[in-house]
Amino acid sequence: MTSTTATRTSVFAPRYLVATIGMVAIVAVSAFQNLAMTTIMPVISEELHGETLYSLSFAAPLAAGVPGMVLAGNWTDRAGGRVVAWVSASLFAIGTAVVMVAPTMPVFLAGRLVEGFGAGAIDVVLYVLVARVFPADLHGSVFAGFAAAWVVPALVGPAVAGIVTDAVGWHWVFAGALVIAVVAFACLVPTLRHLRPPAPEARPPWQGRRIAWSVAASAAVLLLNTAPDLPLAVRFVAVGVGLVGAWTALRPLLPRRTFTGGAGLPSVVLLRGVLAAGFFGSEAYVPFLLQTQHGLEPSAAGLALTVAALSWAGASWLHGRLGEQRLPATRAFGAGLGLVLVSLLSALAVALVDLPVWVLVAGWFVGGAGMGVAYPRTSMLTLRFSREGDDGFASSALTIADASGSVVGLAIAGLLFTTAGGREEPTAFALVFAAMTVVALVGLVAVRRLGPVPAPPRSPSPEAPGG
């Protein structure tokens, strides 16, 4: 029998190896899709005549992922997660296929919605797998592995996406992503056999109201991101309605007192949303700025994304090695947010003063490191503050905050960008980065409200995948 000490030493121990490979492969697919999409979206928006819907192309899958996450969280708590994984992976594949052949922007966005619903659901399955397969001592290493899964896509994804787009067209980028997705899910299949459903008397009821609220939240944040494409007279009315609708619909989906930064899980979830809004709301415009204002080709403009993903993975690995005694939660979050603010200010300076490209690339490297420190800690603390049986709810709440924060950040960025004149106006890019800097500063307030963090439980290891 493998000793408890050994099983807590490495996620590559024989009993965890298959689970680790499968989950990391899924994250790698998401990484490639994300980096490729961000790199080539300026070309897609120009070819499909959809520049005013630029932010929506990123926001659509994230918004659709909200009901996907809620349904998956409830369904996983009831059924164990195996069927949820198969259905969500199928929807992701169908959506990617639609995007691949899209002749118009509406078709492209429809595919992104289906793709996002599936991706949101599979994210919840991954978090539940971490909670139910790995002991608490290994959670930090697992999430560091998720960050490391971005390394290879970061090294080759932007360049490959740019080269393929230049050579044969952007449609073939998504064809490649579809093939990678099928292979990655095949790696995860053996682990799914161990997501057994709970006993009938332990199954929670279907949460119809919560699912309905998630659909309403998705519609509200999508309305926010369609605002830039509306006439100016109704644009800000749509923004107001969208913001109120999003706030109303998200409240039942998140832990109580999330929006006021309640101690414990509410502050963790709020921090995740703020980090996502500030970083991802601006990252979509980094290659856009480099291509339109500095004349870089898509493959070269993706360099900023590459270095950020590499520093994210490296910082996440270091975060896992340092441990919680040397890097307590408030220090981790403060350092992470500080580094993200450096990246946003560097982008703002490049947009305003026309500084050399390397300033933005270096700044984004620093920001990626900040995310690599802060993101794994939010994942760890979410599992820490949740109990077995409601880990599906807690995991879905975290991923909802992640997606919703990103979508709201993109909506703010898109509205400012379009209103300021779009790609032809350098000040439009500057407004985006300035707004996201303000958003990131809100996170520093949330850190102060985190409260005491319980020590990791010293419980026996759960049933191993091979057991």
Side-chain angles (χ1 to χ4, degrees):
M1 178 182 293
T2 307
S3 69
T4 301
T5 301
T7 57
R8 288 175 177 170
T9 301
S10 173
V11 294
F12 299 109
R15 67 194 310 188
Y16 300 120
L17 182 60
V18 173
T20 299
I21 292 173
M23 289 190 290
V24 168
I26 291 292
V27 175
V29 171
S30 175
F32 176 81
Q33 187 90 319
N34 181 283
L35 292 164
M37 176 74 181
T38 308
T39 302
I40 65 176
M41 192 57 216
V43 176
I44 297 172
S45 65
E46 184 175 10
E47 182 176 319
L48 299 183
H49 308 291
E51 183 177 315
T52 56
L53 297 174
Y54 182 84
S55 290
L56 184 59
S57 63
F58 294 96
L62 296 171
V66 172
M69 294 167 195
V70 174
L71 178 60
N74 191 189
W75 197 359
T76 298
D77 286 341
R78 286 179 53 85
R82 192 186 316 170
V83 175
V84 183
W86 277 100
V87 171
S88 57
S90 299
L91 288 173
F92 179 84
I94 292 169
T96 302
V98 172
V99 168
M100 178 181 69
V101 300
T104 64
M105 198 65 172
V107 175
F108 181 88
L109 292 173
R112 292 286 283 167
L113 286 169
V114 176
E115 181 183 68
F117 188 94
I122 199 71
D123 277 352
V124 173
V125 174
L126 292 182
Y127 276 91
V128 174
L129 275 170
V130 174
R132 298 184 186 179
V133 172
F134 295 87
D137 301 64
L138 287 180
H139 288 172
S141 297
V142 175
F143 292 122
F146 285 0
W150 284 70
V151 173
V152 173
L155 287 172
V156 302
V160 169
I163 292 169
V164 171
T165 299
D166 292 339
V168 294
W170 59 266
H171 298 274
W172 290 97
V173 174
F174 294 98
L178 181 58
V179 172
I180 297 172
V182 171
V183 173
F185 185 74
C187 295
L188 188 65
V189 168
T191 303
L192 299 179
R193 294 178 297 148
H194 303 280
L195 286 181
R196 301 182 181 94
E201 63 274 11
R203 296 175 186 173
W206 282 111
Q207 300 172 346
R209 291 185 62 184
R210 182 173 162 80
I211 294 169
W213 278 119
S214 71
V215 175
S218 179
V221 294
L222 283 174
L223 177 61
L224 283 174
N225 281 271
T226 58
D229 197 42
L230 298 174
L232 186 61
V234 298
R235 185 177 300 171
F236 291 98
V237 174
V239 170
V241 172
L243 285 174
V244 172
W247 178 79
T248 303
L250 286 171
R251 287 183 65 195
L253 306 178
L254 304 175
R256 294 184 61 186
R257 298 184 297 119
T258 292
F259 289 110
T260 56
L265 184 61
S267 282
V268 173
V269 172
L270 177 61
L271 273 166
R272 182 64 165 252
V274 169
L275 282 163
F279 191 77
F280 296 120
S282 54
E283 187 177 57
Y285 289 86
V286 169
F288 203 175
L289 172 65
L290 296 178
Q291 291 178 48
T292 58
Q293 300 296 324
H294 293 270
L296 271 63
E297 294 296 325
S299 54
L303 177 62
L305 308 184
T306 298
V307 300
L310 292 175
S311 64
W312 185 323
S316 184
W317 174 83
L318 181 61
H319 167 271
R321 296 283 293 180
L322 288 175
E324 296 184 56
Q325 289 187 339
R326 284 185 287 179
L327 191 65
T330 53
R331 189 176 299 172
F333 288 133
L337 280 163
L339 295 174
V340 169
L341 283 168
V342 170
S343 70
L344 293 170
L345 290 172
S346 71
L348 175 60
V350 170
L352 279 176
V353 190
D354 197 27
L355 295 176
V357 168
W358 69 262
V359 174
L360 176 51
V361 174
W364 223 247
F365 177 87
V366 172
M371 296 295 281
V373 171
Y375 247 51
R377 188 59 63 94
T378 61
S379 301
M380 291 170 61
L381 294 187
T382 295
L383 298 181
R384 183 83 49 82
F385 284 116
S386 62
R387 304 181 305 273
E388 185 175 357
D390 67 354
D391 45 10
F393 167 77
S395 298
S396 67
L398 186 71
T399 49
I400 286 168
D402 196 346
S404 300
S406 299
V407 173
V408 172
L410 286 165
I412 295 170
L415 181 66
L416 293 173
F417 184 77
T418 302
T419 303
R423 71 168 71 203
E424 303 302 328
E425 292 292 334
T427 54
F429 291 99
L431 277 174
V432 167
F433 298 125
M436 296 304 102
T437 299
V438 174
V439 170
L441 286 171
V442 175
L444 295 176
V445 178
V447 173
R448 298 176 62 87
R449 301 179 64 87
L450 180 62
V453 176
R458 308 294 296 182
S459 55
S461 300
E463 180 184 356

